[in-house]
Amino acid sequence: MTTPGQEKGREDTPGRAPRREDTQPQSPVAVAPPLPNRRNSELVLLGFAAVITTVALLIVEANQERGLQMDLVQFTVGFVVLFGGAHLAVRRYAPYADPLLLPVVALLNGLGLVLIYRLDLSAHTRPAGILPGGNANQQMLWTLLGILVFTAVLMFVHDHRMLARYGYLCGLAGLVLLAIPAVLPDSVAEQYGAKIWIRLPGFSIQPAEFSKILLLIFFASVLVTKRSLFTSAGKHVFGMDLPRPRDLAPLLVAWIGSIGVMVFEKDLGASLLLYATFLVLLYVATEKLSWVIIGLSLFSVGSLVAYQLFDHVRVRVQNWLDPFADPDGAGYQMVQSLFSFATGGIFGTGLGNGQPGTVPDASTDFIIAAVGEELGLVGLAAVLMLYTIVIIRGLRTAIAVRDSFGKLLAAGLSAALALQLFIVVGGVTKLIPQTGLTTPWMSYGGSSLLSNYVLLALLLRVSHVARRPLSTRGPNQAPIAAANTEVIEKQ
């Protein structure tokens, strides 16, 4: 059936040749296919990580003149199975997540396993009790638990925005976990001068590692809901909009909490990490430099007061300023770390050829010193570049995701990783005082490994939401641009 306007148009042009539009049916507007999810690329990169880890283990065995051991086969098979399972979990529950994050983390975890295994071998040549043996086997077990936790987070956190509803609950749980070691007896909570542990029969945990994730969720949710409070302008001084005095309460609470951790738990690392991460999130949410300046000023004043009042803070600072003042006592660890870097030079001594076991706690707090000695400056730069890839991809995720909570959460997770890496490497290289933090995914320790796999899972969840294509329309929902139009003559 045609309209009068259509009949009139045909009468005006008698005998005209039919146009192509009239002879061919109209087709809907072509929609570009969704981007590939790159899971196959992730699988290939995981294969490269497995090859590099296996080759590194072979080099350690060869340089230690041990021959082919069964441990090598166990570690290689375990590594492939664990991260193959992690890949399947991502493919199933977060198919559009960033394809680089998991392979880079797998390579960092594999290199850490190689160095821990190498340190175990050096322990066999030293007097009993100097360095524990079998840490590599234990680290494989912790990696298994980390992958299981990683998979559980991807399974049960279907959308990162659901975490915003539990922001205050996460904040309360994070504060409780952070405060538990401070109220426990020294025999249960203190180790190496810091009260940051909960030692139970058979194992021990470091609750601050988990509290940082919970407090990050809390910070992000509060900044989203109370953004107007932090963006309220006060007096304009020296080109900055200073906040009103009544708006400083959240900043003061975070400052009191961080100083309390420094004083009562003697943990400089967790104090600095939590407070610096909060300042980064505050700046991302408000874009006001005045908050950062005020926060850093408060922390500097609190640190100076703590230095004057508390011996453990003073000892850390003095060891930083001059570790050679007591090279066989309080400064021994830092002195040995500096010797390790000097021995490694540009290209390192080679895996299995150095003496990283001379550094106390080389497999935990000072694993970067082992990297510097056996892989040299080049190897250390490569390891730091791997961390930089994870950080940059996390920040790109924060830019790409649409919701405000996801932006703050991804930015906070990436900032926490960057700050922790800076604090660890800065402390080992004598750039800043020692803090006792561990290197993410590389250092020996269950609490650190589990918490960082939770961090990775949350980052992948946000990345999946940011990268997934828009929902396709149903079969009966043609786009407007593809709908037929008719010209109706007005009667």
Side-chain angles (χ1 to χ4, degrees):
M1 179 177 180
T2 60
T3 63
Q6 291 172 323
E7 291 288 343
K8 182 178 180 180
R10 292 178 181 177
E11 291 173 0
D12 291 343
T13 55
R16 69 176 177 86
R19 293 181 298 176
R20 187 173 182 179
E21 297 93 301
D22 298 332
T23 59
Q24 293 185 357
Q26 293 181 349
S27 60
V29 176
V31 179
L35 295 175
N37 56 29
R38 301 294 180 88
R39 296 277 69 84
N40 291 333
S41 300
E42 179 184 83
L43 183 60
V44 172
L45 292 174
L46 283 171
F48 279 121
V51 170
I52 294 173
T53 302
T54 303
V55 171
L57 285 170
L58 284 171
I59 293 173
V60 170
E61 293 282 4
N63 287 332
Q64 291 287 309
E65 299 180 355
R66 287 172 49 86
L68 186 61
Q69 301 291 322
M70 193 61 188
D71 292 341
L72 177 63
V73 179
Q74 292 176 353
F75 291 146
T76 302
V77 173
F79 184 89
V80 171
V81 171
L82 289 178
F83 287 99
H87 167 74
L88 293 177
V90 175
R91 186 181 285 269
R92 171 66 177 84
Y93 299 107
Y96 293 99
D98 194 311
L100 281 180
L101 292 176
L102 181 61
V104 173
V105 168
L107 181 54
L108 290 170
N109 196 343
L111 292 176
L113 179 66
V114 170
L115 291 171
I116 294 169
Y117 178 65
R118 188 264 173 276
L119 290 166
D120 284 347
L121 296 180
S122 68
H124 296 162
T125 63
R126 296 176 58 82
I130 299 298
L131 286 174
N135 284 344
N137 292 323
Q138 188 68 28
Q139 186 75 350
M140 282 296 297
L141 177 60
W142 287 121
T143 303
L144 169 62
L145 295 177
I147 296 298
L148 291 177
V149 172
F150 169 86
T151 304
V153 172
L154 290 179
M155 286 178 59
F156 295 109
V157 181
H158 302 289
D159 193 331
H160 64 272
R161 288 169 291 188
M162 63 181 290
L163 298 174
R165 299 198 297 264
Y166 306 100
Y168 285 94
L169 181 61
C170 290
L172 178 61
L175 289 176
V176 169
L177 286 176
L178 197 61
I180 285 176
V183 300
L184 292 177
D186 293 346
S187 59
V188 177
E190 186 170 354
Q191 186 174 356
Y192 301 116
K195 293 186 64 174
I196 57 176
W197 297 90
I198 300 177
R199 283 202 291 268
L200 301 173
F203 69 99
S204 59
I205 60 174
Q206 192 174 347
E209 292 287 347
F210 302 97
S211 67
K212 71 179 181 182
I213 305 294
L214 295 171
L215 291 175
L216 267 175
I217 298 173
F218 168 71
F219 291 155
S221 63
V222 168
L223 288 172
V224 167
T225 57
K226 305 292 184 181
R227 185 175 184 273
S228 59
L229 175 70
F230 293 96
T231 55
S232 300
K235 294 182 179 180
H236 190 75
V237 179
F238 298 115
M240 297 185 301
D241 293 326
L242 298 180
R244 297 173 299 183
R246 63 176 177 270
D247 296 337
L248 291 173
L251 182 63
L252 292 176
V253 170
W255 175 73
I256 292 172
S258 63
I259 296 299
V261 170
M262 181 191 300
V263 171
F264 295 105
E265 297 189 357
K266 305 176 184 179
D267 189 2
L268 278 66
S271 173
L272 180 58
L273 177 62
L274 293 175
Y275 192 70
T277 305
F278 174 73
L279 289 183
V280 170
L281 284 179
L282 193 57
Y283 177 74
V284 171
T286 64
E287 298 183 4
K288 288 184 177 294
L289 187 61
S290 57
W291 283 104
V292 179
I293 295 176
I294 293 173
L296 292 177
S297 300
L298 286 173
F299 192 80
S300 300
V301 172
S303 300
L304 289 174
V305 174
Y307 175 80
Q308 297 294 331
L309 297 180
F310 302 101
D311 292 336
H312 64 274
V313 178
R314 194 179 305 113
V315 169
R316 289 289 183 93
V317 175
Q318 290 173 353
N319 287 337
W320 166 56
L321 294 174
D322 187 11
F324 291 93
D326 188 12
D328 296 324
Y332 180 77
Q333 189 178 37
M334 177 55 65
V335 168
Q336 294 300 317
S337 174
L338 296 177
F339 283 149
S340 293
F341 286 111
T343 303
I346 301 297
F347 298 104
T349 60
L351 287 171
N353 285 332
Q355 294 181 335
T358 58
V359 183
D361 301 314
S363 62
T364 54
D365 301 352
F366 276 70
I367 199 168
I368 290 295
V371 175
E373 179 174 354
E374 300 210 332
L375 298 180
L377 178 62
V378 174
L380 179 59
V383 170
L384 295 180
M385 187 60 66
L386 291 175
Y387 282 108
T388 304
I389 292 173
V390 177
I391 295 166
I392 290 177
R393 302 298 286 197
L395 293 176
R396 288 187 61 182
T397 297
I399 294 173
V401 74
R402 293 177 178 270
D403 63 287
S404 298
F405 176 74
K407 288 182 179 294
L408 286 178
L409 181 61
L413 295 172
S414 304
L417 180 60
L419 289 169
Q420 183 168 350
L421 184 64
F422 170 77
I423 293 170
V424 169
V425 178
V428 173
T429 58
K430 197 180 167 293
L431 180 64
I432 60 175
Q434 294 174 241
T435 58
L437 290 180
T438 56
T439 308
W441 297 297
M442 289 188 69
S443 294
Y444 170 76
S447 300
S448 174
L449 204 57
L450 292 177
S451 66
N452 283 302
Y453 271 112
V454 173
L455 184 151
L456 176 64
L458 292 176
L459 203 54
L460 284 172
R461 172 55 64 202
V462 180
S463 174
H464 166 74
V465 173
R467 293 167 58 91
R468 67 184 175 187
L470 297 177
S471 301
T472 57
R473 299 176 183 269
N476 298 325
Q477 296 177 343
I480 295 178
N484 295 327
T485 57
E486 293 182 352
V487 179
I488 307 298
E489 185 177 9
K490 184 177 181 179
Q491 301 295 332

